[in-house]
Amino acid sequence: MHVGIFGGSFNPPHTAHLIVAEHIREAGALDRILWIPAARPPHKPATGLVAPHHRLAMTRLAVAGNPAFDVSDLELHRDGPSYTVDTVRILQDEQPGTTFTLILGGDSFRDFATWHRPDEIIRRVPLLVYDRPGTRYDDVPERFRTRACFVDAPLLEISGSDIRTRIREGRSIRYLVPEPVRRYIETHGLYR
């Protein structure tokens, strides 16, 4: 089985996440996508980050109904920052017969050299990078570029920060997030 590791804050998970994940699953010939909400993303400020249990619940609601999508709470059980290298080690130890690929957006790939133990990550798993057509990565070290497969992703201007702003301003987020996620946000009064 070939599984794509799709980590992120998912604060909240939105329609663009779903579209990109399905596109990447097909383009990368992946059997499954494993969505992993980070407890404490090391490269993002904690400002505006709702509690991990809410992000986990919303991610589960977002992917429900797609049999190729699973959600893991693996990073929510660890203390400290959610380092990808630790997640990859654990997944490989727990599922030795599974081939894993790490899914990254182009912005994350550009910063990959600053990640915790990036050389160990690329020794363990290849990278599947999605971004806009024509994006260049000349500043990314060659040792990382040679371990990456690049896939053009659909151009979608939806972001978690915009969704959070819209909620604070009392504006609609309908169709920006799956309806069960919208209801969950409303029920729990998130991002106000």
Side-chain angles (χ1 to χ4, degrees), residues 46-142:
T47 307
L49 194 65
V50 298
H53 70 277
H54 286 307
R55 292 182 289 110
L56 176 66
M58 288 187 289
T59 304
R60 286 182 170 147
L61 289 169
V63 306
N66 186 329
F69 290 170
D70 288 319
V71 178
S72 170
D73 62 357
L74 174 66
E75 291 190 357
L76 304 183
H77 298 292
R78 292 198 314 254
D79 293 329
S82 299
Y83 291 125
T84 300
V85 68
D86 297 329
T87 300
V88 169
R89 284 182 199 142
I90 292 167
L91 289 171
Q92 288 177 327
D93 288 348
E94 290 179 349
Q95 301 176 47
T98 300
T99 300
F100 291 100
T101 295
L102 180 62
I103 300 168
L104 296 176
D107 55 341
S108 294
F109 183 62
R110 279 188 286 276
D111 296 335
F112 188 69
T114 68
W115 286 28
H116 183 68
R117 302 187 61 102
D119 290 294
E120 181 179 346
I121 295 170
I122 62 165
R123 277 195 308 273
R124 290 179 167 274
V125 293
L127 308 176
L128 187 55
V129 179
Y130 65 90
D131 208 291
R132 297 179 176 156
T135 302
R136 298 187 50 112
Y137 300 103
D138 296 335
D139 293 337
V140 176
E142 184 177 351

Side-chain angles (χ1 to χ4, degrees), residues 127-190:
L127 308 176
L128 187 55
V129 179
Y130 65 90
D131 208 291
R132 297 179 176 156
T135 302
R136 298 187 50 112
Y137 300 103
D138 296 335
D139 293 337
V140 176
E142 184 177 351
R143 70 186 188 277
F144 301 141
R145 289 194 317 261
T146 59
R147 287 287 290 156
C149 176
F150 299 91
V151 176
D152 290 337
L155 180 60
L156 301 164
E157 295 295 331
I158 300 172
S159 72
S161 59
D162 179 56
I163 291 168
R164 294 188 300 273
T165 297
R166 293 176 71 84
I167 293 169
R168 279 193 305 275
E169 294 174 351
R171 296 165 54 208
S172 174
I173 60 167
R174 192 175 301 275
Y175 310 118
L176 297 175
V177 297
E179 183 59 18
V181 172
R182 188 190 69 75
R183 286 193 306 266
Y184 186 95
I185 290 169
E186 189 174 280
T187 299
H188 294 277
L190 303 180

